Amino acid sequence: MNSSPDGVITAVADALEQRAAARGQTVGALGSVRGLVANGDAEIAVDHLVNTVNSFRLALSRDEYDRLMAAASALDYADCVTDIDPGLLVPGFDDA
């Protein structure tokens, strides 16, 4: 697993997209997150990912949240991640 900020942001977006697809939900904004990362705009990607999680009510595991926070901290953008609705954080998808 890639632990660079770009890799973490992309991995979290991929996991969210897979879970949404399993529920029959299409969230095109997650593709935009990957595009922003690919274009060197990781900070904007974090902001867009947070807004997408909140807007589409996408559950985020504690591990994903912690990894996203670490990636955002490395980008000096951690304040944005704290905007995720705490009600969307779950212990883990294997624990449920």
Side-chain angles (χ1 to χ4, degrees):
M1 179 182 292
N2 188 341
S3 61
S4 73
D6 289 359
V8 169
I9 296 163
T10 300
V12 171
D14 289 346
L16 290 167
E17 188 169 53
Q18 288 172 4
R19 287 195 299 275
R23 292 189 317 272
Q25 184 179 21
T26 301
V27 183
L30 293 169
S32 298
V33 170
R34 285 191 299 279
L36 288 164
V37 170
N39 287 316
D41 293 320
E43 295 89 353
I44 297 170
V46 170
D47 186 52
H48 190 54
L49 182 59
V50 168
N51 288 329
T52 301
V53 165
N54 288 332
S55 295
F56 286 88
R57 309 301 298 159
L58 302 173
L60 198 65
S61 75
R62 252 318 164 179
D63 178 61
E64 290 166 334
Y65 178 85
D66 291 344
R67 289 181 17 239
L68 186 59
M69 179 60 82
S73 293
L75 298 169
D76 199 26
Y77 217 68
D79 287 351
C80 181
V81 178
T82 62
D83 289 339
I84 292 175
D85 179 349
L88 297 174
L89 301 179
V90 297
F93 293 98
D94 294 335
D95 301 337

